[in-house]
Amino acid sequence: EAGVVQSPRYKIIEKKQPVAFWCNPISGHNTLYWYLQNLGQGPELLIRYENEEAVDDSQLPKDRFSAERLKGVDSTLKIQPAELGDSAVYLCASSPGTSVHGELFFGEGSRLTVL
Amino acid sequence: GQQVMQIPQYQHVQEGEDFTTYCNSSTTLSNIQWYKQRPGGHPVFLIQLVKSGEVKKQKRLTFQFGEAKKNSSLHITATQTTDVGTYFCAGPWSGGYNKLIFGAGTRLAVHP
């Protein structure tokens, strides 16, 4: 069974440039998460989707971040414009159910460096 | 706001020594999960504890959930170099939304 697939794995951009990350969850997983992981820290939730609906985006900086999951399968996270402080690893995760009583399956992550 | 704290931040051990990391929540948790992240890798689920006082073992790893369901621990017996990585605990956010709050993790280094 294929795991959560993310691309690109690495991205280096100049500040003020846009960037987009793509995630394809495990087949059949209805819930998709985007997490931000700063160096030396645990993952922090940015947004959670149940199918195509964003049910928790309270931690997403909406002035520059946007996300979509149009058909309830794969998802894109965009930053425009990027700032120096956005340098981090962006992790996508999925789970088959909607409860916090289940395992999260993480992708390899997209490491962003903003110069 | 709700916090999930882990100690220590870092632990260096000689191969064969034991290791323990502690996780403390500011609120009562319905469950707690543990993840391991290898250097350069992504978090991988290890286990979930649900019951008060629950103890679960996975080979050399022993996980405990406190009686008050506000703390947990992970103990590794006779560490090996393959145990290197960062161990995170995570618990449900008390504000709902089915959201997990992760601790900052304990980074384990094992010297051969």
Side-chain angles (χ1 to χ4, degrees):
Chain A
E1 179 183 276
V4 176
V5 178
Q6 290 189 246
S7 67
R9 287 293 312 278
Y10 305 92
K11 189 73 176 179
I12 301 174
I13 60 172
E14 299 278 339
K15 63 180 180 182
K16 299 185 181 180
Q17 294 298 306
V19 64
F21 306 112
W22 176 80
C23 171
N24 193 30
I26 293 173
S27 177
H29 283 197
N30 297 323
T31 306
L32 183 147
Y33 313 75
W34 282 103
Y35 279 88
L36 165 71
Q37 187 174 28
N38 286 304
L39 189 63
Q41 297 297 314
E44 300 171 36
L45 182 68
L46 290 173
I47 189 168
R48 180 171 73 93
Y49 284 92
E50 289 181 14
N51 298 305
E52 66 275 8
E53 181 182 1
V55 295
D56 182 5
D57 62 356
S58 56
Q59 301 302 311
L60 191 72
K62 298 181 184 64
D63 56 336
R64 296 183 301 105
F65 286 66
S66 65
E68 61 183 16
R69 193 185 185 199
L70 294 176
K71 296 183 178 178
V73 181
D74 58 341
S75 175
T76 303
L77 176 69
K78 297 178 181 178
I79 308 174
Q80 182 171 9
E83 297 179 353
L84 295 176
D86 296 331
S87 295
V89 176
Y90 293 83
L91 291 164
C92 179
S94 69
S95 64
T98 59
S99 168
V100 287
H101 291 264
E103 171 184 356
L104 296 186
F105 296 81
F106 284 89
E108 297 284 352
S110 295
R111 182 178 297 274
L112 173 66
T113 302
V114 182
L115 302 175
Chain B
Q2 180 184 6
Q3 288 187 310
V4 175
M5 296 153 287
Q6 286 186 251
I7 53 171
Q9 273 189 300
Y10 305 98
Q11 185 79 58
H12 297 249
V13 299
Q14 288 293 130
E15 190 172 20
E17 291 181 339
D18 291 357
F19 159 77
T20 304
T21 174
Y22 300 91
C23 177
N24 295 288
S25 170
S26 58
T27 62
T28 301
L29 301 171
S30 58
N31 70 83
I32 194 155
Q33 298 181 12
W34 285 91
Y35 290 79
K36 176 184 179 181
Q37 185 172 24
R38 294 182 185 275
H42 59 282
V44 175
F45 176 84
L46 293 176
I47 206 161
Q48 176 174 277
L49 304 172
V50 178
K51 299 177 183 177
S52 169
E54 188 171 13
V55 177
K56 286 188 176 180
K57 292 189 176 184
Q58 289 179 351
K59 297 183 180 178
R60 295 178 294 104
L61 278 61
T62 302
F63 302 84
Q64 290 189 327
F65 200 9
E67 293 290 340
K69 301 184 77 172
K70 293 181 72 174
N71 62 305
S72 181
S73 65
L74 158 59
H75 179 83
I76 303 178
T77 303
T79 55
Q80 300 176 358
T81 54
T82 54
D83 296 324
V84 165
T86 301
Y87 294 85
F88 295 99
C89 64
W93 184 50
S94 59
Y97 287 115
N98 282 325
K99 179 163 67 178
L100 276 179
I101 302 295
F102 281 79
T106 295
R107 186 185 301 175
L108 173 64
V110 179
H111 301 288

